[in-house]
Amino acid sequence: MRGAKAWFWFSLGAILLACSPDPDRVNYAYLRSPSFFRADTTFSDHPLCKDSQVFTTPEECSKVKKYQLTWVRPEDTARLVGYRIYLDTTDPNLPGKHWNDLKDRPEFASIIVQSKLLKDTLFFIFGQAGFRQDTLKPGSRKIFVLDSSKREEETTGNLDFALVPVYSGDATPGQPQFAYFQTRDKQPPDGFHPAFIPRATQVEIAWERPTDRVSFFDPSQDTGMIAGYSIEVQLVGKVIPEKKNSFRPKLLSYQVGSTDMLARTSMVFDSVDKFVFSVPDSNRSAKRVTPLLSDSLHLVIGDVRPLDTLKVRLYAIDSSGNRNINAMEIVTLIATDTTQPSKPVMSRDSITQNGFRLWWLASSDSLRDGDQRLPGPKANFNIQNYRLIRTLIRDSTSRTTSLDRVDTTILIDSNGNGKLDTFKLSMKFLPPGTLFRMRLSAIDRSGFESLTDTMSVRTDSVRFAGTDSALECPKDFIPVPRGNFRLGDNASSSPDEKPAANVMMGPYCIEPYEHRDSTGRRFVSNVTYRQAEEICRSVDTAFATNLCSEVEWERACEGPESTNLTHGIQSEGTNASILQSSCNQGTNDSAMAMSFELRNSLCLTTEGVYDMAGNLSEWVRDPYVADAYSQSSRKDTVYHDFRFTDPTATDSTAGKSPPGIRGGNYLKTSFPQQSLTQNLARCSNRDFAAQVRPVYRAECQSESGPKIAVIYAPGLTGHRCVDVPVGVDPAKITEIRPDSARILIFLSGVLKPVPDTLPPDTVFKGRKPVSALLTTRSLAVVTFVSNKGASEVTDILDAKEMRDTSQAALERIFTREAGNAEWTVRKQNGKFEIKYLYAYSIFGTKPAKPYYSSRVIGFRCCSLARPRQVPADTTVIAGN
C-alpha cells in the first residue's frame, strides 16, 4: 500500500514539472514587466517648451494642454533596449487594430523609446489626424505629437496606452502594462476652505490650490490643472442707493506663491452691488504628496468701507471649464471700522478670603465723522465682547503654572446684557491671601480692541484670631484656626467613620500642597511611611513638625463647620462631578499628579489647602485602626497631637496596624460606577496602604512539582487541587478533562486516557467541574531587605512576568513592587534569590507590609503653631 502511494506522488510531480512554465516565461511575467505606468496631465508652460521642435515659440507651447507618461523600468534590465508605446486609437484603416495582433508589431507603436533610465517620462500633446511614429533616442528629451483620431474630443475622452519593454536578440519581451487616460474632464475641482480676513478698507483671502480629479485610472492621486478662480464680492444689507453706486472694490494684490500675478487679473461688473474678479492659476497640475510654495495663493481686495457688510464667494475653474461653485460656501463679512472702543474702567468690592466682586462701566465703540471722532450713541454700541484676564501673582521664589492665568470672555447679546450700563462678575473659589492681576478690555464687532484697564486685588488671608492671634506658622505653611468641625460621617456605609461628632479643633499649621522636593516642582512620593515621617520631622524642628495626624488631615480637608465640604473642594458643594477634571481623581493622569505646573487651582479648601481629594493619596501619622472613632474617647477639644493609638507604639505594634492614608488618588479604580471612585475622595474616608498579591488555596501550592487544579467556579473558593496520579509523568500530559466525579488524563503517545477518581470533598459534593489543568510555577517567593538595617520581609509575588526574564527586567519589577529605593530583593551570587512555587493562583489584596507600598502615596506635614518670636534687638517704645 505504501509503495502505491509513493508511485502516485512521484507521477504527479513529474506531470506538474512537465507543465510548469519555462524560465523565459517566468521572466516574461515578473522580471521584465514595469512595476509602474501612468498617464496624466502636466505643466502647460513645461521647461521643454523652450527647446521644442513642435512649436514655433515657447508662448505658443504654453497655451497648449500637455500630458505625460511615466513608468519605472523592469527589474530585469539585461539586454533591455527600450520600450514600445501603443495608443489604442491608431488609424482604423490600418491592419492589426486588435491588440493581440498589434502588441507584437513594432511598426504600429506610436512611440519607440530607446532609454534605460531608472524612471522614464515623456511628454506629449494630441495633434492632427494621421499616424506618425516618433522615436525618443538616448539623451533626447522633447515633446511628442500623438494622433488620437480626435477621440479626446469625444464624450468620454477615454484613451488606453500600452507599454511593452523590448529586449535585444530573441529574448522574450516584457509583459505589457496599461494606463488609462481621460482627456475630457467632466469633474469639477474639489472643494477647499479659503481663509477670509476682513480689515477696515480691505479683505484678505488666502487659500491652497485644490485638487481636480481627471482620470478614472487613479482618482485618489490624479489632479488636473486649475485654469483660474472667480471671486464674487457683493454689498448687502440696508444700503442707500448712493452707497451702492459708489461701491467699487478692486484688486490690490494677487500672489501665487512668491510670484506677483496682479497684472494677469481681470474684473467683471456683474450688477450695481456685485463684482466678479477673475484670477489665474499658475498652470501647475500636480500636488500629490507635499504642497509647494506655488500651491499657496493670496489676494487682497481693496476700496471697501468700514463696517460694510459683504458677501464673498471664491470658486475654482479647471482647464475643461468645470466649476466647483456648488461646493463653495458664500461667506458674510463685516469690514472693520477705524475707531477704537472706549476703555472699560474696573472697580471691586466684597473681598473675602476666597473671592471678590468685580464690576465695570460698559464700553462703547466710537464713530468717525470726517476728521472728528464721536462717542457711541449708547452703552455697548458695536461691542462684540469683553475680555477679562485674571493672573495669579506668585512671589519671586515660587514657580508659575499653566493654570495661573484664567481668561474669561463675556459675549454681548443685544437682547440681554447689551442693555446693561454696568457689569458685575463674582470671582469665586480663590485661595486666601493671594494677589491677582486683573486686565479688562472691550473688543468691537470689527475686532478692534480698546485700551486695557488693569487692577490688582488680594484676597483676605486666613489668620489666627482671638487668643491665638499671636501664633505663627513655619515658612510656607498656612494656619488652620481653632474652630468646630464634624469628625467622621454617619452617612457612610463604613463603620470606620462612625460615630460622627462635632468637635472643637485646636489651632495648627499645614502644608498647602503635598510635600515637594527642594526644587518646589516635584512631589515627594516614592518614600515609605517611616521616611515620610523623618522628612516632616526635619522640616522645622523649632515648630515640632511631623506627618499630619488623621484628625488634622480631615479638619484641613473639610474646612470650618459652616462650609461642610464633603470632598474638601470649595467649588464642589454637593456635586462631585468636578473631581476628575479639577482634582485628578481616578483618571490615571500621572503627569498632573507629579507636576506642580499642571495642578488645577480649583481643587482647594476655603482655607487654601490644595489637592486633598485627588492626585496623590497621603500618609498620615496614625497607624490604621479599624472602627477607631467608636473606640476613641474623644473630648470636646481635639489637639494637634491627638492619636487613635499609643504614640509610643513600637514597630512590631505598627506592623499589626498598617500605616494609614487619606485622600483620593489619580490611579484608576476597578469600580464600575464613578460614584464609587468619588467615594474614596471624601474627607472622612479612612484607608490604609494595600498591595495586589496573588492568593491561592493551600492545597494548590507545591515546591516539588505540579498538581491538578479542578475548577468548579471562578475565584478562590471555586477550585481545588489534587495530586498527579502515581506513575503519571506530568511532562507527558497533553490534556485533562473533567468527567463527572473523575478526570481523564491524556498522555502523549497513549491512545486511551488515564482515569482518576476525584477524592471526596464535602464542599464540592454534587458539583460538576467545568475544567481541569496542571498548575504552573506561578508564585515567586522573594525576600526584601532594607539598606538601612537588618530588616527583612518575605513576600509572595506573581511569577508570570518573571520567568525567562533578565536580571535588569527583574530589577524593574522589584523596584515597582517595593515602591522605594530603600528596599530591594536579596541576591545570591549576583542574581536575585527567587523560589518559584507551583500553584493555581488568583489575584486578591491584602494589607501592605509596614515598610513599603506599591501605591503612589505622597504626604504633607503639619506642625503646632507657636507664639510669634520677637527679635532680641527689637526695642518696644511705649505708646507705639
Side-chain angles (χ1 to χ4, degrees), residues 296-533:
S296 177
L297 302 101
H298 182 268
L299 177 146
V300 178
I301 300 174
D303 283 10
V304 298
R305 289 162 298 200
L307 300 181
D308 272 353
T309 300
L310 307 173
K311 283 188 176 181
V312 183
R313 176 162 58 180
L314 168 67
Y315 55 90
I317 307 170
D318 65 20
S319 57
S320 297
N322 302 305
R323 305 186 302 171
N324 66 347
I325 187 170
N326 293 330
M328 306 302 295
E329 64 177 341
I330 300 176
V331 179
T332 300
L333 306 172
I334 300 178
T336 63
D337 61 16
T338 57
T339 58
Q340 191 176 39
S342 60
K343 183 175 77 172
V345 180
M346 292 185 291
S347 186
R348 83 273 187 184
D349 56 24
S350 304
I351 300 176
T352 67
Q353 68 183 32
N354 298 126
F356 54 89
R357 185 175 63 179
L358 187 73
W359 58 275
W360 67 89
L361 297 176
S363 178
S364 179
D365 195 18
S366 55
L367 299 174
R368 186 180 297 277
D369 184 8
D371 294 333
Q372 293 185 346
R373 180 172 170 175
L374 305 177
K378 58 182 179 179
N380 300 309
F381 169 73
N382 202 36
I383 299 299
Q384 179 173 274
N385 59 61
Y386 293 93
R387 184 176 301 160
L388 177 65
I389 301 174
R390 187 188 76 211
T391 306
L392 185 150
I393 306 300
R394 300 182 182 271
D395 59 48
S396 57
T397 61
S398 300
R399 294 182 179 272
T400 60
T401 80
S402 59
L403 297 172
D404 286 350
R405 169 173 165 161
V406 178
D407 291 7
T408 305
T409 299
I410 299 93
L411 296 174
I412 299 302
D413 181 359
S414 58
N415 296 322
N417 58 7
K419 300 179 180 180
L420 296 177
D421 294 325
T422 304
F423 288 82
K424 297 180 180 180
L425 190 64
S426 294
M427 304 284 110
K428 300 187 295 184
F429 315 130
L430 304 180
T434 306
L435 180 66
F436 293 91
R437 179 72 46 78
M438 311 300 298
R439 298 172 57 87
L440 177 68
S441 60
I443 296 91
D444 67 19
R445 297 188 182 279
S446 303
F448 274 36
E449 187 172 4
S450 71
L451 296 176
T452 302
D453 190 28
T454 61
M455 180 176 61
S456 297
V457 186
R458 185 182 296 276
T459 54
D460 292 339
S461 299
V462 177
R463 296 183 175 88
F464 294 125
T467 57
D468 299 326
S469 58
L471 298 178
E472 66 176 355
C473 289
K475 185 178 183 299
D476 297 327
F477 281 56
I478 63 173
V480 180
R482 179 192 306 270
N484 290 314
F485 87 104
R486 190 169 186 82
L487 180 64
D489 186 359
N490 286 330
S492 172
S493 59
S494 172
D496 266 2
E497 304 173 38
K498 301 174 183 177
N502 289 324
V503 297
M504 171 64 73
M505 183 69 180
Y508 65 99
C509 309
I510 190 171
E511 286 187 295
Y513 292 92
E514 303 101 302
H515 190 77
R516 289 178 280 171
D517 62 15
S518 58
T519 68
R521 302 180 63 183
R522 296 189 60 83
F523 294 94
V524 181
S525 62
N526 195 24
V527 295
T528 65
Y529 163 78
R530 295 300 185 200
Q531 289 172 324
E533 193 173 42

Side-chain angles (χ1 to χ4, degrees), residues 553 567 569 576-590 592-593 599-600 603 611-617 662-671 673-682 685 687 855:
W553 197 97
H567 298 87
I569 314 170
S577 62
I578 68 167
L579 277 180
Q580 287 187 304
S581 60
S582 297
C583 294
N584 195 21
Q585 165 68 8
T587 64
N588 271 358
D589 185 355
S590 59
M592 180 176 178
R599 291 294 183 89
N600 194 322
C603 189
D611 300 315
M612 306 193 85
N615 284 307
L616 298 177
S617 296
R662 286 293 190 116
N665 197 289
Y666 75 92
L667 295 174
K668 189 178 290 292
T669 67
S670 59
F671 295 140
Q673 297 176 325
Q674 179 61 23
S675 59
L676 296 176
T677 300
Q678 294 170 353
N679 187 61
L680 300 177
R682 292 177 302 106
N685 183 63
D687 202 355
R855 287 186 63 175

Side-chain angles (χ1 to χ4, degrees), residues 36-42 66-72 83-87 110-111 113 119-126 136 141 144 146 159-163 177-181 217 288:
F36 175 87
F37 181 42
R38 67 175 296 135
D40 52 19
T41 55
T42 187
K66 285 169 287 299
Y67 309 93
Q68 67 183 27
L69 295 173
T70 306
W71 63 93
V72 176
Y83 310 89
R84 296 198 301 268
I85 300 176
Y86 294 85
L87 180 62
S110 296
I111 304 173
V113 181
K119 182 176 180 180
D120 295 281
T121 305
L122 63 85
F123 303 91
F124 64 93
I125 64 171
F126 290 111
L136 175 63
R141 293 178 60 81
F144 288 81
L146 289 185
L159 299 178
D160 296 338
F161 290 89
L163 176 73
Q177 292 292 310
F178 298 92
Y180 308 97
F181 191 54
F217 171 62
R288 297 189 184 93

